[in-house]
Every structure is written in structure tokens, then in C-alpha cells.
Amino acid sequence: MLFIFMTGEDLHLSYQLQKYRNAGSFVLPVDPKDKETWGDSEHRLAYVSETTIIFKDIVQVRNDQWWKALSTGYVTQCEAMNPQKIDALFYAHSIDEVKALAPLLEKFWSTIRKKAYIVVSGGSFCPCEDSVTALNWPKVVCKERRFKIMDLVVGALSTISNSEVPIVQAVYASMKCLINIHNPSLMIIVADADPNVKKALKIATEANTNSSTLVLLPRSSVTKVLWMADLRPTALPNWNRMRLSMNILI
């Protein structure tokens, strides 16, 4: 694995290296007695002063950039040291897929002590605002700091190429990181999703060392498996090996 040493302000470069090359990045240590190791301290003071006092909108832009990086899979040292554990992570590549998965997602959200998020491809494929409208959620959810939906913005900046390779690569890279951050027991998508997207999600799920299980749900069966949200977290990965029996009293 390649490790890149950089200053604390190189978030974008660090994110790209981590996402596409599995390259770790570290901020060099500072010697409090040696000013040569302090970096551009005067620029830092000016940056803090100007952005927090005079140009407060810049602080909002900076915070939005950080949150966008986190929501698309940037793994900070804090997250790496304190991984989360959620019950389910849903992925939708189109608005129709969002609508198909909506009943099960809502069931997870309405079940006590269950935690689930949905990731959408974003961009021209599945815009976040349209996705939350399909879920009957307020549009502000797309910009909230408490995660509920994550927007990968796939293809938003590169719409010239007709190849699916950049799309699949973007989905795989982002989802691999998000799965490693949140460690979902289940990774849920519709069974008739794009084959390339399914392949990317399969590889990303299998790369997780905490045993996430990829679930391919036929659209017609989504409303029939709402009981998944009632299973114990330890039982969720084995949901597809369960058999239901009913005793009918006459």
C-alpha cells in the first residue's frame, strides 16, 4: 500500500488518492520548538480570521466540502479508529429503484433500535432531491449533517463519455469506503439493477472484513420481506436461509 504524506489542507488530493488508489495519507508531526515544521502559520491565522469573521459564507462552503467528502466515502482517521455498525445500507441507481426499496427502508427507519441509510447514485441518474421527494422526505434531508441519504453525484462532472467504466468505478470506490465506514449487516439493492452496478457492489461488499451481506431483492418481494427489519442484528446476515412456518388454528 502506498502512503502519501501531506499537509492538513490537502483534503481533495487525500480523498482522491484514498478513494481510487487505496493510498493512506498522514499529516506530518510538528515540533513545537522548531518553527520550520509549523508550515504556513501566518496563512493559517489569516485563513481562520478571514473565513470565520469577515467571510462567513466561505466557512459554510468549506463545511459543505468536508461533508460531501464524508458522504461519498472519505475515511478519516477518527472513522477508521471508531467504525460504525448499522443494520442496512440501501443503494439505488435510479428513481424507480428508490421507489421500489422505499417500503423496506421506511420499515427499518420506523423500527426501534434499527439504523439504515440509503445511498443514491446522484448526478443525472438519481438526483438526491428527486429521491427524497419519492420517499416523501423534505428536500433539506439532502443537506443535513445527520446522515439519512448519501448522494454519490456519479457522472455529475463527466457527462461526455458514454462508457460505463467511469460510472462503475465511481460506484465501487465510493461504496467500498462507505461500507467500510458503516459496516452494514445487509447491503440491499433491487435484483434487476444494472449488471455492472451489481458487480461493483458485490466486489465492494465482499471487500468488507466485517461480513456485510449483499441482498438482491426482486421488486415484487420488497413489501413481503418487511419482517427483515424485526430481526436481531446478529440474525440479519442469515435472513435468506430462514424459513417461515405458520400454525393455523381452526
Side-chain angles (χ1 to χ4, degrees):
M1 179 181 289
L2 176 66
F3 293 95
I4 307 296
F5 291 87
M6 58 186 64
T7 64
E9 295 180 2
D10 296 320
L11 170 63
H12 180 72
L13 176 60
S14 173
Y15 171 59
Q16 296 298 325
L17 288 169
Q18 180 194 93
K19 181 175 179 180
Y20 293 107
R21 300 298 300 174
N22 287 326
S25 58
F26 296 88
V27 177
L28 293 172
V30 175
D31 182 352
K33 297 181 180 180
D34 184 0
K35 291 187 176 181
E36 294 299 321
T37 67
W38 290 10
D40 191 358
S41 59
E42 293 302 320
H43 170 72
R44 176 187 177 279
L45 292 175
Y47 175 77
V48 172
S49 173
E50 294 296 319
T51 58
T52 58
I53 298 176
I54 301 176
F55 303 110
K56 293 185 178 180
D57 289 342
I58 297 179
V59 177
Q60 181 64 41
V61 172
R62 180 188 63 194
N63 290 344
D64 288 344
Q65 289 177 333
W66 263 104
W67 211 251
K68 177 56 67 178
L70 293 174
S71 66
T72 52
Y74 181 71
V75 185
T76 65
Q77 183 178 5
C78 179
E79 289 168 322
M81 295 174 64
N82 302 280
Q84 299 184 47
K85 180 61 180 177
I86 67 173
D87 297 288
L89 191 62
F90 292 75
Y91 178 82
H93 204 67
S94 68
I95 298 299
D96 285 341
E97 292 178 20
V98 173
K99 294 177 179 178
L101 294 170
L104 185 57
L105 175 62
E106 288 294 343
K107 175 63 176 177
F108 269 96
W109 266 91
S110 62
T111 302
I112 298 175
R113 289 189 291 275
K114 283 293 189 291
K115 183 180 290 187
Y117 305 134
I118 183 170
V119 182
V120 295
S121 55
S124 59
F125 299 98
C126 190
C128 185
E129 290 77 8
D130 294 343
S131 300
V132 295
T133 298
L135 292 168
N136 294 317
W137 292 350
K139 290 187 178 182
V140 69
V141 170
C142 289
K143 301 183 182 299
E144 283 183 343
R145 294 295 180 261
R146 185 182 296 276
F147 285 135
K148 192 170 183 179
I149 185 170
M150 303 175 195
D151 180 4
L152 300 187
V153 202
V154 174
L157 300 179
S158 56
T159 57
I160 299 176
S161 174
N162 292 322
S163 172
E164 72 277 359
V165 174
I167 297 171
V168 173
Q169 183 182 31
V171 172
Y172 164 72
S174 291
M175 292 306 298
K176 177 192 65 174
C177 294
L178 287 174
I179 291 171
N180 286 335
I181 292 171
H182 299 286
N183 294 293
S185 296
L186 302 178
M187 177 70 239
I188 302 175
I189 61 174
V190 294
D192 61 349
D194 182 277
N196 294 301
V197 172
K198 285 194 291 187
K199 182 178 180 180
L201 292 174
K202 183 176 185 294
I203 298 172
T205 303
E206 291 176 347
N208 182 253
T209 58
N210 290 322
S211 302
S212 295
T213 300
L214 180 64
V215 178
L216 305 177
L217 285 180
R219 300 192 189 209
S220 60
S221 70
V222 172
T223 57
K224 299 179 178 64
V225 293
L226 301 184
W227 49 267
M228 288 170 59
D230 297 321
L231 294 177
R232 298 189 309 275
T234 53
L236 276 172
N238 302 312
W239 77 276
N240 59 340
R241 290 194 286 269
M242 296 181 178
R243 295 292 181 270
L244 298 180
S245 62
M246 294 183 293
N247 295 322
I248 301 177
L249 300 178
I250 300 178

